[in-house]
Amino acid sequence: MSLYASWLSLDVTNGIPVAAVERVNRDGWQFTKWGLRKNPATDDRTAEAVRLAAAVRAMEAALRQEAAFDAVFTWGGIRLPVPR
């Protein structure tokens, strides 16, 4: 049994990386982490959130297990107000 595999270099928002999913399923990884990337062509945060959530659901269905995701460089540059 293998414990952890990081696949952050793969952008699962561009489709399911079939070869990686097959390897994870075959090798019995218990925990995996996958990369998500924002579409640079849009500033519509709502549409991006929907797209990223859809990618998460599709990957977990393909893996047949839960997984972790990291929105790599996705939210950089967003400034949140600092509470006073």
Side-chain angles (χ1 to χ4, degrees), residues 1-56:
M1 169 186 4
S2 301
L3 183 59
Y4 173 74
S6 176
W7 298 91
L8 293 179
S9 63
L10 299 176
D11 179 4
V12 300
T13 56
N14 287 327
I16 295 176
V18 176
V21 169
E22 289 172 351
R23 179 175 174 194
V24 166
N25 288 336
R26 180 183 65 242
D27 293 349
W29 294 96
Q30 299 301 302
F31 178 79
T32 59
K33 188 173 185 181
W34 303 84
L36 301 171
R37 306 286 190 297
K38 180 185 180 305
N39 178 353
T42 183
D43 289 327
D44 185 341
R45 292 182 184 166
T46 301
E48 279 302 283
V50 169
R51 190 176 72 84
L52 295 176
V56 166

